[in-house]
Amino acid sequence: MRALPVGDGALLVEVGSGEEAQALHAELLRRRTEGSLAVREIVPAARTVLLDGLTDPARLAAELTAADVPPARSPARAVVELPVRYDGPDLADVAAHWGVAPHEVARVHAATEFTVAFCGFAPGFGYLTGLPERYDVPRRATPRTTVPAGAVALAGSYTGVYPRSSPGGWQLIGTTEAVLWDHARVPAALLSPGTRVRFVPVGPPGVVEA
Amino acid sequence: MTDRALAVVRAGALTTVQDLGRPGHAHLGVPRSGALDGPAAALVNRLAGNPAEAAVLETTLNGCAVRPRSTVTMAVGGAPCPVRVDGRPVAWGAPVRVPAGALLDVGPATSGLRSYVAVSGGIAVEPVLGSRSTDLLSGLGPAPLTDGAVLPLGSPTDLHARVDVAPQPAPPAELVLRVTLGPRDDWFTPEAVRAFTSRSYRVSPSSNRIGLRTEGPALDRAVPGELPSEGMVLGAVQVPPDGRPVVFLADHPTTGGYPVIAVVRPADLPAAAQAAPGTPVRFLEVRRR
């Protein structure tokens, strides 16, 4: 573990893997809840956790690098189930990358339990991990100018769901009706770091229900 | 019953509603947002008798014109500009009584970029996650002003301005941004780090509320490839593949995959908000406190 100072009031804690970042994030949230860590933002990412709004980053850096972070305990939160139709325009391309038939992409994806590793890109957009490395796919060579809200997409080892219509370069494999972000709802974000997610198919691939 | 509302007669190039922003949601991908020149927004609020958290208007380059439907106290500050009520010049940087139905015109900035307009009672659009700020990156908060829009106003508080006129710093002829190196300065060649802290850059016209983009010597990387996405702070100086530093401002993305060579001291960011395209920029390395 390395703790890199960021400006005068933040710390970027770097660890060896996504799993370690998730464990560290859980531990830091626990400390904040119990009142032993005063911090404005805790932002987990692929291999790091950023702590912003610290009064004494150097002291925390020394403390964190000396301590052992316990592995993430089995999360207490229930699994969020997202209904999905595997009808995305890139399903065949993804199947080709994986070397399987399109229906097999849907089967593998729906059989996977995902965890929200971190959020970013847009409010409510989670980077979901869970697919094994052999299923990594590249981003599309040319990003789309418009990806519809609810598009279920893959890039690298991540799965994500577009909370609203936006440009995007991920490979689209499906569609969900779930509302990922609604700022009138509490909480506004359906998915936040640490949330467990399953995709539940609601119809055969390629069939759009009325 | 008075009609506490403000009609937008001329929206200007880009006028947004801003307050102290919505910090604390970065882990959900929500930018902090808020007034880019915080001290200027705080000052006009004080002049209009508002608490610090009241929402104000932030204009860009050519001001805006608004018509209150009830008599209000208004104040214009930030980038200096001519201010008129029904065509008559009135003071900039001071409280101004604007009668119901009169037109307050905020003229083009004579220097700097962003003027701030406070109205007694504050702009009272519906808050989103505790803030009324327009967030141009993620689309949270009210849309930028359009001609003909009507904005609700809050009730004035009992606060009275304790100042009649307040000095405000002049927008910089040269923008000097103090930086502490890191966290990813080791992703650049030593020559690039030296160039970054010694050469002169210019503010690019493609700058916006998300980032102050610069033109100048491109910074060469020592480490190729992409950095796994990591959390970003306000004032982070991110270097995209073209090698030109971008200083992250209030609407910056909360995570990013380009290396951050340095971080600007927060106290220097209000001046960055007022630096017009073409302004020379220097990044001055300082020791971490």
Side-chain angles (χ1 to χ4, degrees):
Chain A
M1 184 190 291
R2 272 207 311 168
L4 305 169
V6 179
D8 286 318
L11 212 55
L12 185 69
V13 188
E14 191 174 45
V15 293
S17 69
E19 293 71 40
E20 284 177 61
Q22 289 177 28
L24 175 65
H25 175 240
E27 169 65 10
L28 293 168
L29 284 182
R30 192 189 62 75
R31 290 191 191 189
R32 177 154 76 173
T33 306
E34 72 172 22
S36 63
L37 175 65
V39 60
R40 189 178 58 240
E41 309 269 12
I42 301 179
V43 189
R47 299 280 182 276
T48 57
V49 180
L50 173 75
L51 296 150
D52 193 8
L54 297 167
T55 46
D56 193 349
R59 206 176 95 191
L60 183 64
E63 200 185 299
L64 284 177
T65 43
D68 273 338
V69 173
R73 273 160 288 192
S74 55
R77 276 189 278 185
V79 176
V80 171
E81 294 193 340
L82 299 179
V84 63
R85 286 191 305 270
Y86 287 102
D87 58 2
D90 303 330
L91 196 63
D93 284 357
V94 170
H97 278 293
W98 288 14
V100 300
H103 67 85
E104 183 65 6
V105 173
R107 195 195 62 77
V108 168
H109 197 258
T112 304
E113 182 177 301
F114 294 88
T115 303
V116 180
F118 59 99
C119 294
F121 172 65
F125 185 92
Y127 290 76
L128 279 55
T129 54
L131 283 175
E133 211 172 292
R134 65 178 180 279
Y135 293 130
D136 283 13
V137 292
R139 282 162 202 259
R140 295 194 60 78
T142 309
R144 289 184 170 86
T145 52
T146 315
V147 172
V152 176
L154 306 183
S157 60
Y158 297 112
T159 289
V161 183
Y162 284 79
R164 57 172 187 148
S165 172
S166 66
W170 289 33
Q171 310 272 5
L172 311 185
I173 61 164
T175 315
T176 180
E177 304 279 313
V179 178
L180 275 288
W181 176 266
D182 176 1
H183 58 248
R185 179 177 68 191
V186 179
L190 185 60
L191 310 180
S192 60
T195 305
R196 292 186 297 156
V197 179
R198 266 186 185 282
F199 290 89
V200 180
V202 290
V207 176
V208 179
E209 286 163 329
Chain B
M1 233 359 228
T2 55
D3 186 4
R4 297 214 44 89
L6 196 66
V8 178
V9 175
R10 179 176 65 83
L14 173 67
T15 303
T16 60
V17 177
Q18 296 296 336
D19 58 13
L20 302 176
R22 44 183 77 84
H25 305 283
H27 63 290
L28 300 176
V30 175
R32 95 167 53 199
S33 201
L36 287 196
D37 186 345
L43 185 61
V44 292
N45 263 332
R46 261 171 55 211
L47 292 167
N50 287 339
E53 64 272 18
V56 302
L57 300 179
E58 179 183 281
T59 72
T60 313
L61 269 172
N62 68 347
C64 67
V66 292
R67 198 187 292 281
R69 290 180 175 172
S70 58
T71 300
V72 292
T73 301
M74 298 184 71
V76 181
C81 59
V83 184
R84 289 188 164 80
V85 173
D86 281 342
R88 267 180 310 104
V90 296
W92 172 90
V96 175
R97 196 88 182 139
V98 183
L103 184 72
L104 177 110
D105 187 273
V106 179
T110 51
S111 61
L113 268 185
R114 296 177 169 96
S115 299
Y116 290 84
V117 186
V119 190
S120 51
I123 309 292
V125 294
E126 203 55 42
V128 174
L129 299 181
S131 167
R132 299 184 163 92
S133 290
T134 301
D135 171 354
L136 293 180
L137 181 75
S138 65
L140 297 184
L145 266 54
T146 50
D147 293 353
V150 176
L151 301 171
L153 296 176
S155 299
T157 58
D158 293 337
L159 294 173
H160 284 290
R162 285 177 185 82
V163 278
D164 289 334
V165 65
Q168 297 184 49
E174 183 195 35
L175 182 63
V176 179
L177 298 174
R178 291 168 297 171
V179 297
T180 50
L181 289 181
R184 300 293 178 194
D185 50 319
D186 58 350
W187 276 55
F188 297 87
T189 62
E191 297 74 40
V193 174
R194 251 195 318 278
F196 171 66
T197 54
S198 62
R199 303 275 299 275
S200 186
Y201 286 83
R202 273 179 193 283
V203 176
S204 155
S206 54
S207 300
N208 54 26
R209 283 184 46 85
I210 298 163
L212 179 106
R213 293 173 182 278
T214 64
E215 292 165 350
L219 303 178
D220 292 331
R221 292 255 294 261
V223 181
E226 216 171 307
L227 184 69
S229 274
E230 60 190 28
M232 293 283 146
V233 299
L234 182 69
V237 185
Q238 205 190 46
V239 183
D242 71 4
R244 267 80 188 189
V246 179
V247 180
F248 273 178
L249 302 179
D251 289 355
H252 72 84
T254 61
T255 59
Y258 299 129
V260 170
I261 191 170
V263 177
V264 176
R265 284 256 167 101
D268 294 352
L269 291 173
Q274 297 295 1
T279 304
V281 188
R282 265 191 315 124
F283 295 98
L284 182 69
E285 188 189 346
V286 292
R287 283 175 187 281
R288 191 159 274 115
R289 277 194 274 248

